[in-house]
Amino acid sequence: MTVLEQTRAPRTETGRRRSPLGSRWTPYLFLAPAAIFIVLFQGVPLAQEIFLSFTRTSLLNPTNSTWVGLENYAHIFADEDFHRTLRTTFVYVVACVVGSVGAGLLVALLLNRSFRGRGVVRALVTVPWAAPGIAVALIATWMLNPQYGIVNRFLDAVGLGVPGGAILDSSTYALPAILLTTIWQLFPLTSVVLLSALQAVPRDLTEAATMDGAGRWWTFRAVTWQVIKPTVGLLALLMTIWSIRRFELIWLMTKGGPVGSTETLVIDLYAQAFDSKQLGTAAAIGMVGVVISLIVIAGSRLVTRAAEKEGLR
């Protein structure tokens, strides 16, 4: 073989010459559009928000910014109302994750059984998730209306009525009402995903456990849970991030009230930006939310890796 033949590019089955350089850059060419989109529409706004959080900027005159360093962060962390907002956000996120994943798992276990009309029930379960968040908020507000809401009438009938029927105007009952509404909208997604995971559980393993005398609980714990555990972890992570970002439902139902009892980070961010006109303070609150989300993601990755190492032993 001559030197010229050795340096020639390889040919494909059709006889065309295949460029080694082109094949090397092909994966990057496919990734380029997504990378450009992320940089332009997520990276650049995030960089602007980081810069804005270190400035004193008014919505009425956004071009006139004053560099203040960490003053915005010191201000919000010294504010007792912001501490209450963090506590409310924590309660809201934890309750939404536990409630949506737990309810979704129970519904998925029920739908995984064979019964007449199972297909219709599966379709109906997805209705709350398919409904827009604005529609869900308006329907929930109507159902909780103190004058003609069906929820108040039911509570009065069973002797558990709220004084005056003003559930959303009560600092005690407003947050639980929003939590139940949020879980009602989120659990269909988790139930559908977990139902798919349950159908991937090997039937021979469950049958072997049953033949060995294991009950339903031990079969679920030893076999089913081990298969669906990664899916549950992923859903918990997604529900956490979505709950931290949830805005329209809370804003339309209570606007963060009464007396800030339902005010989460995104509600506080909106209020600072558009009510108080303080873009710098709002950006600092947004960065706190970003940091919390990154901590949650990093913690999830550590737990996943630890579980994977434990499974390899």
Side-chain angles (χ1 to χ4, degrees):
M1 183 180 294
T2 64
V3 176
L4 180 61
E5 291 176 342
Q6 292 178 357
T7 56
R8 281 180 182 173
R11 293 177 179 271
T12 61
E13 295 180 358
T14 58
R16 293 193 218 168
R17 226 173 248 182
R18 186 174 57 191
S19 172
L21 183 61
S23 61
R24 183 187 309 168
W25 289 97
T26 298
Y28 299 99
L29 293 177
F30 282 112
L31 291 174
I36 294 173
F37 178 85
I38 292 174
V39 170
L40 290 180
F41 296 100
Q42 296 186 18
V44 173
L46 179 61
Q48 291 177 336
E49 182 181 1
I50 294 173
F51 172 79
L52 199 62
S53 68
F54 294 107
T55 65
R56 183 183 295 111
T57 306
S58 173
L59 181 64
L60 301 177
N61 189 13
T63 58
N64 186 15
S65 299
T66 303
W67 182 267
V68 295
L70 297 175
E71 182 179 320
N72 290 327
Y73 294 95
H75 171 71
I76 61 175
F77 281 110
D79 189 0
E80 289 296 328
D81 291 338
F82 184 72
H83 296 168
R84 181 193 59 203
T85 298
L86 287 177
R87 291 192 297 268
T88 303
T89 303
F90 177 79
V91 172
Y92 180 79
V93 170
V94 171
C96 286
V97 172
V98 174
S100 61
V101 176
L105 179 58
L106 292 176
V107 173
L109 290 172
L110 293 175
L111 295 180
N112 196 38
R113 298 183 178 183
S114 298
F115 57 89
R116 182 176 298 179
R118 182 174 63 172
V120 177
V121 176
R122 288 181 177 181
L124 292 176
V125 165
T126 61
V127 171
W129 172 253
I134 296 176
V136 171
L138 294 177
I139 292 172
T141 303
W142 178 79
M143 294 177 64
L144 295 168
N145 187 278
Q147 296 180 354
Y148 50 79
I150 189 174
V151 174
N152 280 300
R153 293 191 177 185
F154 172 78
L155 292 176
D156 289 337
V158 298
L160 299 175
V162 177
I167 295 177
L168 295 180
D169 293 331
S170 170
S171 58
T172 303
Y173 301 107
L175 184 59
I178 290 178
L179 284 171
L180 290 175
T181 305
T182 306
I183 294 170
W184 178 78
Q185 188 186 20
L186 291 180
F187 90 88
L189 174 65
T190 59
S191 64
V192 170
V193 175
L194 289 173
L195 178 60
S196 301
L198 288 173
Q199 292 176 344
V201 177
R203 187 179 297 272
D204 54 347
L205 293 180
T206 57
E207 292 177 351
T210 303
M211 293 177 62
D212 288 341
R216 289 184 179 181
W217 166 247
W218 286 104
T219 301
F220 173 81
R221 180 179 178 183
V223 179
T224 306
W225 177 252
Q226 302 304 321
V227 176
I228 69 173
K229 184 163 59 174
T231 304
V232 172
L234 177 60
L235 284 174
L237 176 61
L238 292 177
M239 293 299 109
T240 300
I241 296 175
W242 287 345
S243 299
I244 292 174
R245 298 170 52 189
R246 198 60 187 264
F247 172 77
E248 78 284 354
L249 190 144
I250 302 174
W251 181 257
L252 290 174
M253 292 183 68
T254 63
K255 291 182 172 59
V259 201
S261 59
T262 61
E263 188 175 71
T264 59
L265 281 175
V266 289
I267 301 297
D268 192 16
L269 186 155
Y270 182 89
Q272 289 291 337
F274 297 101
D275 292 341
S276 302
K277 307 297 189 296
Q278 298 298 324
L279 294 182
T281 305
I285 295 173
M287 288 310 304
V288 172
V290 171
V291 171
I292 292 175
S293 299
L294 292 176
I295 292 174
V296 171
I297 294 173
S300 175
R301 291 293 301 165
L302 291 175
V303 172
T304 302
R305 289 183 179 180
E308 290 176 352
K309 290 180 180 180
E310 187 68 22
L312 294 175
R313 292 180 181 178

